[in-house]
Amino acid sequence: MKKQLLALVATLVVSAGAHAADIKVVVSADQPGPVIHRNIYGQFAEHLGTGIYEGMWVGPESKIPNVRGWRKDVVAALKDLKVPLVRWPGGCFADEYHWRDGIGPRSKRPIKVNTHWGGVPENNAVGTHEFFDLVEQLGAEAYVNANVGTGSPQEAAEWLEYMTGEGNATIVEQRRKNGRDKPFRVHYYALGNETWGCGGNMRPEYYADLYRHWATFLKTPAHNRPQFIASGGNDQDTAWTEALSKSVRHNFDGIAHHAYTFPSGKWETKGAAAGFPESEWVAMLSQVKKIDDTLVKNKAILDKNDPKKKLAIYFDEWGSWYDPEPGSNPGFLVQRNTLRDALLAALHFNVFHAHADRVKMSNIAQMVNVLQAMILTSKDKLVLTPTYHAFKLYTPFQDATSLPVKIENNPTYKVDKFEMPGLSVTAGRGKDGKLWVGLVNANATQAAELDLLLGTNAPKAVKGQVLTAGAMDAQNELGKAPQVLPQPFEAQSANGKLTIKLPAKSVVVVAVEG
Ligand code: AHR
């Protein structure tokens, strides 16, 4: 009995020790780390479902207001989001895409079947020129993914020449004839996608040899050389990073890694996007730890094989993936987007910032109407998702200088068998000169109170925005009042302390004063 009593007292002391008022977040503003590359906030647009056709591209003849076929409302919302980069045309689609199908007069382009995504017709209305028109309208960089699965080294090399060539080669003249005199600026060029799976079911060593072979023939004018990307591993896999970084030397700037998050953790039955219990909320969010683990493991391999840090990790597909929305074409990957997705995105950002020395780009899957989208459309209407607002809140971190953060007494958040740290925090000195802090309170039911310190001093005030809602699966639906919108947030110091009260299930981004 005495023993039990002692144990109870010990438990009470431990929980009192971890009481919200004792949580301290210490930002070391005098220890600048690597720059958080703006392309960490990159997007992905694949020929999949209504991600491009309908969602963004309606064609110049459409009654929906557009500029040369691209929807004005969607482009305006994406510009507002400061989208830094778009990856195209896939995904699995990339390894069945032949770029010559998408140039020249649209009426003459071949109609194919999108065998990977829903078996629907692909009329190739969006091709190279249309894609570059989109990124130029957005003011974003272009990431083009070449076909390895069903393509050839010649096809991949010629696509690059078509886009970047300057002389009077016939292929360059063809681009001019198709309406583009000036070369396109290709910022990134990848050979293949998921070559371990839909891109050809290869083994890492086989693909590494194939990359060495194909990359030999990728040539551009020196001032228009893209970063060349090899297709890498999935989830916790390190074999691809090992094989590639050990053996490839030429035209090789980074490795594309993928990791999706399903509430169930199982590919076959992923789980529901909305209407879930709290255990599934934490099951989902706690998996972001795996992204961190993946980066730690893959970075260790790069540090061994590439100690001069020439190679980047490009996390070019990530995000939530749920069971398809009932009634939708399962090949279209339509899903709801809720407050949980906004927190999932913010937790990913915080991890990517912490690994900014190697992670130089990431691309959420996908930009419009597919998986964890920024925007959902129906006919001429659109809605901005909670994920859109998380991206918007975090825009001050684009090209910010990362700063170390320590959380003292971070409470554990546990529901059933799932647990994770209750708080996740990131900080950076923005390009605007301001010090920005991003905070996530993952706990779905408990608010958190913390003291913010810059080194040993309390700042004067913080000012920014908070994203939260009443329900875990609150969402913004077409034709209904949005439930998840950023609201102003601020706190002032008092008695030498700056205490921040984070609502349950919230994302907060603030600029720090003083
Ligand atoms: O984003 C959807 C698909 O997920 C991509 O086409 C593929 O690369 C991944 O498996």
Side-chain angles (χ1 to χ4, degrees):
M1 182 63 186
K2 202 174 158 199
K3 240 185 182 173
Q4 273 166 341
L5 210 66
L6 277 176
L8 181 67
V9 171
T11 317
L12 288 176
V13 170
V14 170
S15 35
H19 186 267
D22 293 327
I23 304 170
K24 283 194 177 64
V25 170
V26 185
V27 177
S28 302
D30 55 348
Q31 292 170 35
V35 167
I36 298 165
H37 201 297
R38 66 186 176 287
N39 288 343
I40 282 182
Y41 291 87
Q43 298 283 335
F44 173 32
E46 180 167 13
H47 289 236
L48 193 175
T50 56
I52 292 183
Y53 300 118
E54 289 182 40
M56 286 192 277
W57 172 266
V58 287
E61 290 80 30
S62 172
K63 286 208 181 89
I64 299 178
N66 68 82
V67 175
R68 294 180 296 278
W70 294 106
R71 284 179 70 141
K72 277 188 179 173
D73 54 352
V74 173
V75 169
L78 294 171
K79 275 180 87 159
D80 224 21
L81 198 56
K82 297 190 166 54
V83 168
L85 159 123
V86 184
R87 175 180 181 231
W88 172 86
C92 296
F93 179 81
D95 282 296
E96 296 184 12
Y97 181 66
H98 299 283
W99 67 272
R100 283 191 166 87
D101 293 343
I103 55 169
R106 278 193 286 275
S107 58
K108 298 215 171 92
R109 295 185 192 170
I111 294 177
K112 296 264 174 95
V113 178
N114 190 335
T115 53
H116 207 91
W117 301 117
V120 292
E122 162 62 60
N123 67 7
N124 282 297
V126 170
T128 304
H129 292 251
E130 289 80 10
F131 168 65
F132 277 94
D133 189 16
L134 172 68
V135 289
E136 287 171 6
Q137 287 188 36
L138 291 175
E141 294 186 355
Y143 171 0
V144 176
N145 207 123
N147 175 352
V148 165
T150 61
S152 68
Q154 182 179 357
E155 190 184 8
E158 286 179 349
W159 195 7
L160 196 56
E161 188 185 358
Y162 180 85
M163 293 185 284
T164 63
E166 294 175 347
N168 61 355
T170 306
I171 196 167
V172 178
E173 291 297 349
Q174 195 183 7
R175 185 192 70 222
R176 295 198 177 102
K177 210 175 102 221
N178 288 334
R180 177 73 176 211
D181 180 27
K182 208 170 81 180
F184 295 116
R185 178 74 181 99
V186 185
H187 290 86
Y188 299 86
Y189 197 62
L191 289 178
N193 166 73
E194 295 194 350
T195 47
W196 45 264
C198 68
N201 281 312
M202 302 175 197
R203 290 174 298 105
E205 294 73 21
Y206 174 81
Y207 173 70
D209 281 349
L210 192 140
Y211 186 92
R212 286 165 61 115
H213 168 193
W214 286 42
T216 312
F217 304 99
L218 300 178
K219 293 166 192 172
T220 64
H223 54 268
N224 199 357
R225 179 192 182 278
Q227 299 289 294
F228 290 110
I229 306 179
S231 162
N234 193 41
D235 286 335
Q236 305 285 311
D237 199 348
T238 53
W240 296 76
T241 304
E242 178 71 57
L244 289 160
S245 60
K246 207 164 63 187
S247 71
V248 184
R249 292 287 169 264
H250 177 66
N251 273 346
F252 179 40
D253 300 294
I255 300 176
H257 200 90
H258 292 181
Y260 284 96
T261 309
F262 329 116
S264 70
K266 290 189 205 111
W267 173 255
E268 302 74 25
T269 47
K270 300 182 180 71
F276 47 79
E278 192 182 348
S279 58
E280 279 181 34
W281 163 278
V282 63
M284 187 76 180
L285 299 184
S286 60
Q287 289 183 58
V288 179
K289 167 85 174 67
K290 289 204 290 191
I291 307 287
D292 189 55
D293 293 346
T294 299
L295 284 168
V296 169
K297 284 188 207 153
N298 281 282
K299 276 171 60 176
I301 290 170
L302 288 186
D303 289 347
K304 171 173 63 93
N305 294 341
D306 172 44
K308 291 199 176 139
K309 292 203 165 168
K310 288 191 179 145
L311 296 174
I313 298 180
Y314 300 126
F315 227 92
D316 71 359
E317 285 186 35
W318 64 271
S320 58
W321 197 327
Y322 304 109
D323 295 334
E325 179 66 7
S328 68
N329 181 334
F332 281 16
L333 311 187
V334 178
Q335 64 188 35
R336 282 163 193 266
N337 196 298
T338 73
L339 180 65
R340 181 173 65 176
D341 296 295
L343 269 84
L344 186 84
L347 290 169
H348 275 78
F349 301 151
N350 293 0
V351 169
F352 294 149
H353 293 183
H355 295 286
D357 58 332
R358 285 279 187 190
V359 179
K360 304 289 179 191
M361 185 212 306
S362 99
N363 309 73
I364 188 166
Q366 297 193 5
M367 195 152 69
V368 178
N369 288 341
V370 176
L371 297 174
Q372 194 181 342
M374 308 301 109
I375 296 175
L376 301 175
T377 68
S378 172
K379 302 207 171 83
D380 62 342
K381 304 273 181 303
L382 70 73
V383 75
L384 307 177
T385 66
T387 301
Y388 177 98
H389 293 299
F391 269 75
K392 186 95 191 278
L393 248 64
Y394 270 73
T395 50
F397 287 104
Q398 291 193 16
D399 285 336
T401 301
S402 60
L403 296 169
V405 176
K406 232 172 59 203
I407 308 176
E408 292 176 18
N409 299 325
N410 194 347
T412 297
Y413 172 42
K414 186 169 190 304
V415 178
D416 298 345
K417 60 178 181 182
F418 305 105
E419 64 174 66
M420 65 185 292
L423 299 178
S424 163
V425 184
T426 190
R429 177 74 63 188
K431 287 211 10 169
D432 55 7
K434 294 184 185 167
L435 197 156
W436 290 92
V437 180
L439 309 106
V440 180
N441 178 13
N443 194 307
T445 56
Q446 309 281 310
E449 207 170 289
L450 60 93
D451 291 338
L452 180 68
L453 289 162
L454 297 185
T456 50
N457 301 326
K460 278 200 204 106
V462 294
K463 208 169 176 181
Q465 291 190 304
V466 57
L467 195 64
T468 187
M472 292 181 292
D473 63 350
Q475 51 196 291
N476 300 336
E477 290 177 272
L478 285 158
K480 293 189 186 164
Q483 293 174 26
V484 190
L485 284 180
Q487 302 296 333
F489 183 94
E490 57 182 274
Q492 261 84 35
S493 70
N495 308 321
K497 273 186 168 196
L498 191 271
T499 303
I500 297 181
K501 291 180 187 147
L502 297 175
K505 48 179 166 10
S506 65
V507 181
V508 169
V509 175
V510 284
V512 179
E513 292 167 18

